[in-house]
Protein backbone atom coordinates (compact mmCIF):
# COMPACT_ATOMS: atom_id res chain seq x y z
CA UNK A 1 0.00 0.00 0.00
CA UNK A 2 1.39 3.42 -0.98
CA UNK A 3 2.10 5.82 1.90
CA UNK A 4 0.57 8.71 -0.11
CA UNK A 5 -2.14 7.04 -2.19
CA UNK A 6 -4.73 4.34 -1.75
CA UNK A 7 -6.49 2.72 -4.70
CA UNK A 8 -10.25 2.33 -4.86
CA UNK A 9 -9.82 -1.44 -4.69
CA UNK A 10 -7.65 -1.16 -1.57
CA UNK A 11 -10.20 1.14 0.03
CA UNK A 12 -13.08 -1.22 -0.70
CA UNK A 13 -11.14 -4.13 0.78
CA UNK A 14 -9.81 -2.21 3.78
CA UNK A 15 -10.48 -3.64 7.21
CA UNK A 16 -8.81 -0.76 9.05
CA UNK A 17 -10.76 0.12 12.15
CA UNK A 18 -11.90 3.72 12.61
CA UNK A 19 -11.05 4.62 9.02
CA UNK A 20 -12.15 8.22 8.43
CA UNK A 21 -13.29 9.36 4.98
CA UNK A 22 -13.20 13.04 4.05
CA UNK A 23 -14.97 14.32 0.92
CA UNK A 24 -13.10 17.44 -0.23
CA UNK A 25 -14.87 18.33 -3.45
CA UNK A 26 -13.96 21.86 -4.48
CA UNK A 27 -13.19 23.70 -7.69
CA UNK A 28 -12.23 27.32 -8.29
CA UNK A 29 -15.40 29.30 -9.01
CA UNK A 30 -17.70 26.36 -8.27
CA UNK A 31 -19.54 26.59 -4.92
CA UNK A 32 -21.50 23.36 -5.46
CA UNK A 33 -19.28 21.00 -3.47
CA UNK A 34 -21.85 20.49 -0.67
CA UNK A 35 -24.60 19.74 -3.18
CA UNK A 36 -22.37 17.32 -5.09
CA UNK A 37 -21.68 15.56 -1.80
CA UNK A 38 -25.39 15.23 -1.08
CA UNK A 39 -26.02 13.95 -4.60
CA UNK A 40 -23.62 11.07 -4.02
CA UNK A 41 -20.63 10.31 -1.79
CA UNK A 42 -18.71 7.33 -0.47
CA UNK A 43 -20.73 5.89 2.42
CA UNK A 44 -19.54 7.22 5.74
CA UNK A 45 -17.65 10.18 4.29
CA UNK A 46 -17.82 13.60 5.95
CA UNK A 47 -17.92 16.68 3.73
CA UNK A 48 -15.04 19.11 4.29
CA UNK A 49 -15.38 22.69 3.05
CA UNK A 50 -12.01 23.68 1.62
CA UNK A 51 -12.66 27.44 1.68
CA UNK A 52 -13.77 27.62 5.31
CA UNK A 53 -12.17 24.59 7.00
CA UNK A 54 -8.88 24.13 5.15
CA UNK A 55 -7.98 27.80 4.79
CA UNK A 56 -8.10 31.09 6.63
CA UNK A 57 -9.99 34.07 5.24
CA UNK A 58 -8.48 35.40 2.00
CA UNK A 59 -6.65 38.73 1.93
CA UNK A 60 -4.48 40.38 -0.75
CA UNK A 61 -1.58 40.32 1.70
CA UNK A 62 -1.88 36.58 2.47
CA UNK A 63 -3.47 35.16 -0.67
CA UNK A 64 -6.73 33.39 -1.45
CA UNK A 65 -6.17 30.34 0.75
CA UNK A 66 -3.84 31.11 3.67
CA UNK A 67 -3.08 28.26 6.04
CA UNK A 68 -5.82 27.97 8.67
CA UNK A 69 -5.27 28.84 12.30
CA UNK A 70 -4.06 25.60 13.96
CA UNK A 71 -6.64 25.81 16.76
CA UNK A 72 -9.44 26.25 14.23
CA UNK A 73 -8.10 23.36 12.14
CA UNK A 74 -8.05 21.14 15.22
CA UNK A 75 -11.64 22.13 16.02
CA UNK A 76 -12.68 21.21 12.48
CA UNK A 77 -10.76 17.93 12.56
CA UNK A 78 -12.54 16.96 15.77
CA UNK A 79 -15.88 17.83 14.19
CA UNK A 80 -15.00 15.35 11.40
CA UNK A 81 -14.63 12.71 14.10
CA UNK A 82 -10.85 12.38 13.97
CA UNK A 83 -9.17 10.73 16.94
CA UNK A 84 -5.54 9.90 17.64
CA UNK A 85 -4.40 6.97 15.52
CA UNK A 86 -7.30 7.07 13.06
CA UNK A 87 -6.30 6.35 9.45
CA UNK A 88 -7.68 9.01 7.11
CA UNK A 89 -8.54 8.86 3.39
CA UNK A 90 -9.34 12.06 1.49
CA UNK A 91 -10.94 12.24 -1.94
CA UNK A 92 -12.56 14.52 -4.50
CA UNK A 93 -13.77 14.07 -8.07
CA UNK A 94 -10.82 15.76 -9.81
CA UNK A 95 -7.93 13.35 -9.42
CA UNK A 96 -7.01 14.65 -5.99
CA UNK A 97 -6.56 18.28 -7.02
CA UNK A 98 -8.44 19.59 -3.99
CA UNK A 99 -8.18 16.54 -1.72
CA UNK A 100 -4.40 16.96 -1.76
CA UNK A 101 -4.86 20.16 0.26
CA UNK A 102 -6.45 18.11 3.05
CA UNK A 103 -3.72 15.47 2.72
CA UNK A 104 -1.01 18.11 3.02
CA UNK A 105 -2.64 20.02 5.88
CA UNK A 106 -3.25 16.93 7.97
CA UNK A 107 0.29 15.71 7.37
CA UNK A 108 1.59 19.19 8.23
CA UNK A 109 -0.49 19.02 11.40
CA UNK A 110 1.10 15.75 12.51
CA UNK A 111 -1.28 13.06 11.23
CA UNK A 112 0.94 10.51 9.51
CA UNK A 113 -1.65 7.98 8.29
CA UNK A 114 -3.51 10.03 5.69
CA UNK A 115 -3.82 9.04 2.05
CA UNK A 116 -5.40 10.35 -1.13
CA UNK A 117 -7.91 8.12 -2.91
CA UNK A 118 -6.15 7.65 -6.24
CA UNK A 119 -8.52 8.70 -9.01
CA UNK A 120 -11.09 9.99 -6.53
CA UNK A 121 -14.81 9.35 -6.82
CA UNK A 122 -14.68 8.27 -10.50
CA UNK A 123 -12.20 5.52 -9.60
CA UNK A 124 -14.43 4.45 -6.71
CA UNK A 125 -17.38 4.11 -9.08
CA UNK A 126 -15.31 2.23 -11.68
CA UNK A 127 -14.32 -0.26 -8.98
CA UNK A 128 -17.97 -0.96 -8.23
CA UNK A 129 -18.14 1.14 -5.10
CA UNK A 130 -21.54 2.21 -3.83
CA UNK A 131 -22.70 5.76 -3.18
CA UNK A 132 -24.74 7.24 -0.36
CA UNK A 133 -26.94 10.31 -0.80
CA UNK A 134 -28.04 13.07 1.49
CA UNK A 135 -26.12 14.01 4.61
CA UNK A 136 -24.42 11.54 6.93
CA UNK A 137 -25.20 11.71 10.66
CA UNK A 138 -22.77 13.99 12.50
CA UNK A 139 -19.82 11.88 13.63
CA UNK A 140 -19.02 11.58 17.30
CA UNK A 141 -16.73 14.45 18.28
CA UNK A 142 -13.09 13.43 17.95
CA UNK A 143 -10.24 14.10 20.33
CA UNK A 144 -7.36 14.58 17.88
CA UNK A 145 -4.45 16.72 19.10
CA UNK A 146 -2.76 18.38 16.14
CA UNK A 147 0.94 19.23 16.08
CA UNK A 148 1.41 21.76 13.25
CA UNK A 149 4.66 22.42 11.42
CA UNK A 150 5.56 18.86 10.45
CA UNK A 151 6.03 19.67 6.74
CA UNK A 152 8.22 22.44 5.28
CA UNK A 153 6.67 25.79 4.41
CA UNK A 154 8.21 28.90 2.84
CA UNK A 155 7.03 32.51 2.59
CA UNK A 156 7.34 35.05 -0.21
CA UNK A 157 10.79 36.22 0.88
CA UNK A 158 12.09 32.65 0.90
CA UNK A 159 10.54 32.05 -2.54
CA UNK A 160 12.28 35.16 -3.86
CA UNK A 161 15.71 33.93 -2.80
CA UNK A 162 15.13 30.20 -3.23
CA UNK A 163 18.38 28.55 -4.26
CA UNK A 164 16.94 25.16 -5.16
CA UNK A 165 14.16 24.23 -7.59
CA UNK A 166 11.02 26.38 -7.41
CA UNK A 167 8.10 24.71 -9.20
CA UNK A 168 5.10 26.61 -10.57
CA UNK A 169 2.27 24.06 -10.62
CA UNK A 170 -0.27 26.21 -12.50
CA UNK A 171 -1.28 25.71 -16.12
CA UNK A 172 1.54 26.54 -18.53
CA UNK A 173 -0.31 29.49 -20.11
CA UNK A 174 -0.65 31.13 -16.69
CA UNK A 175 3.03 30.51 -15.98
CA UNK A 176 3.98 32.15 -19.29
CA UNK A 177 1.71 35.13 -18.57
CA UNK A 178 -0.58 34.54 -21.52
CA UNK A 179 -3.64 34.18 -19.28
CA UNK A 180 -4.49 35.24 -15.76
CA UNK A 181 -8.15 34.68 -14.90
CA UNK A 182 -7.96 35.49 -11.18
CA UNK A 183 -4.98 37.51 -10.01
CA UNK A 184 -3.99 41.13 -10.79
CA UNK A 185 -0.75 40.37 -12.65
CA UNK A 186 0.17 37.62 -15.11
CA UNK A 187 3.41 35.68 -15.19
CA UNK A 188 5.49 33.74 -12.71
CA UNK A 189 8.06 34.15 -9.94
CA UNK A 190 11.46 34.76 -11.56
CA UNK A 191 13.51 31.58 -11.59
CA UNK A 192 10.55 29.23 -11.22
CA UNK A 193 10.11 26.31 -13.60
CA UNK A 194 6.76 25.21 -15.03
CA UNK A 195 5.40 21.77 -14.09
CA UNK A 196 1.57 21.85 -14.34
CA UNK A 197 -0.18 19.75 -11.73
CA UNK A 198 -2.54 18.27 -14.34
CA UNK A 199 0.41 16.41 -15.87
CA UNK A 200 0.75 14.31 -12.70
CA UNK A 201 -2.38 12.42 -13.82
CA UNK A 202 -3.11 9.88 -16.50
CA UNK A 203 -6.19 9.80 -18.70
CA UNK A 204 -8.05 7.86 -16.00
CA UNK A 205 -7.57 10.67 -13.48
CA UNK A 206 -5.19 8.58 -11.37
CA UNK A 207 -1.63 9.56 -10.52
CA UNK A 208 0.90 8.41 -13.07
CA UNK A 209 2.90 5.33 -12.06
CA UNK A 210 5.88 6.13 -9.86
CA UNK A 211 8.39 5.51 -12.65
CA UNK A 212 6.65 8.05 -14.89
CA UNK A 213 6.45 10.61 -12.07
CA UNK A 214 10.13 10.03 -11.39
CA UNK A 215 10.88 10.64 -15.06
CA UNK A 216 8.78 13.79 -15.02
CA UNK A 217 10.73 15.27 -12.13
CA UNK A 218 14.10 13.76 -13.11
CA UNK A 219 15.88 17.12 -13.39
CA UNK A 220 15.39 18.01 -9.73
CA UNK A 221 18.54 16.23 -8.58
CA UNK A 222 19.42 16.70 -4.93
CA UNK A 223 18.48 20.37 -4.75
CA UNK A 224 15.83 21.52 -2.26
CA UNK A 225 12.40 21.80 -3.88
CA UNK A 226 9.55 24.24 -3.22
CA UNK A 227 6.19 24.44 -4.97
CA UNK A 228 3.58 27.14 -5.52
CA UNK A 229 0.42 27.46 -7.61
CA UNK A 230 -2.40 30.01 -7.68
CA UNK A 231 -3.32 29.90 -4.01
CA UNK A 232 -1.63 26.89 -2.43
CA UNK A 233 -4.22 24.25 -3.39
CA UNK A 234 -2.95 22.37 -6.43
CA UNK A 235 0.65 22.86 -5.27
CA UNK A 236 -0.19 20.29 -2.59
CA UNK A 237 -0.98 17.85 -5.40
CA UNK A 238 2.51 18.36 -6.83
CA UNK A 239 3.99 17.82 -3.37
CA UNK A 240 2.04 14.57 -3.11
CA UNK A 241 3.34 13.43 -6.51
CA UNK A 242 6.88 14.24 -5.43
CA UNK A 243 6.33 12.35 -2.17
CA UNK A 244 5.33 9.28 -4.18
CA UNK A 245 8.87 9.22 -5.62
CA UNK A 246 10.56 10.06 -2.33
CA UNK A 247 11.18 13.79 -2.83
CA UNK A 248 10.23 16.16 -0.01
CA UNK A 249 9.10 19.60 -1.17
CA UNK A 250 8.17 22.77 0.67
CA UNK A 251 4.88 24.57 0.08
CA UNK A 252 4.61 28.30 -0.55
CA UNK A 253 1.03 28.74 0.73
CA UNK A 254 0.53 32.34 -0.42
CA UNK A 255 1.53 31.33 -3.95
CA UNK A 256 0.77 33.56 -6.93
CA UNK A 257 -2.34 35.05 -5.31
CA UNK A 258 -0.08 36.64 -2.69
CA UNK A 259 2.91 37.39 -4.91
CA UNK A 260 0.89 39.10 -7.65
CA UNK A 261 -0.74 41.50 -5.18
CA UNK A 262 2.61 42.82 -3.97
CA UNK A 263 3.73 45.42 -6.51
CA UNK A 264 7.28 45.26 -5.13
CA UNK A 265 7.66 41.65 -6.24
CA UNK A 266 9.11 41.16 -9.74
CA UNK A 267 7.24 39.15 -12.36
CA UNK A 268 8.68 37.09 -15.20
CA UNK A 269 6.83 36.05 -18.35
CA UNK A 270 7.52 33.67 -21.19
CA UNK A 271 8.63 30.05 -21.22
Amino acid sequence: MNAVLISAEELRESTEENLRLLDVRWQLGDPEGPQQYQNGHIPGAVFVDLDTELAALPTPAQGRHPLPDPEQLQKCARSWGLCAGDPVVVYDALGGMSAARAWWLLRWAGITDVRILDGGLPAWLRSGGALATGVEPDPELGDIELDPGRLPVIDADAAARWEGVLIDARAAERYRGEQEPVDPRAGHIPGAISAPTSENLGEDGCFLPAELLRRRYHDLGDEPVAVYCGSGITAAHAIAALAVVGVEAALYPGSWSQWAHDSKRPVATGA
Side-chain angles (χ1 to χ4, degrees), residues 35-84:
Q35 186 60 53
Q36 292 168 9
Y37 167 84
Q38 291 190 41
N39 290 344
H41 58 269
I42 298 176
V46 175
F47 181 75
V48 174
D49 190 304
L50 187 149
D51 283 323
T52 62
E53 297 183 289
L54 302 181
L57 292 174
T59 69
Q62 295 297 317
R64 284 195 304 280
H65 292 103
L67 297 187
D69 174 77
E71 290 187 7
Q72 178 63 23
L73 179 61
Q74 179 170 284
K75 181 179 178 181
C76 291
R78 289 180 174 183
S79 76
W80 308 330
L82 300 194
C83 295

Side-chain angles (χ1 to χ4, degrees), residues 167-179:
I167 293 175
D168 185 316
R170 297 173 300 158
E173 58 270 20
R174 292 185 70 189
Y175 169 87
R176 293 190 298 264
E178 296 166 1
Q179 295 182 13

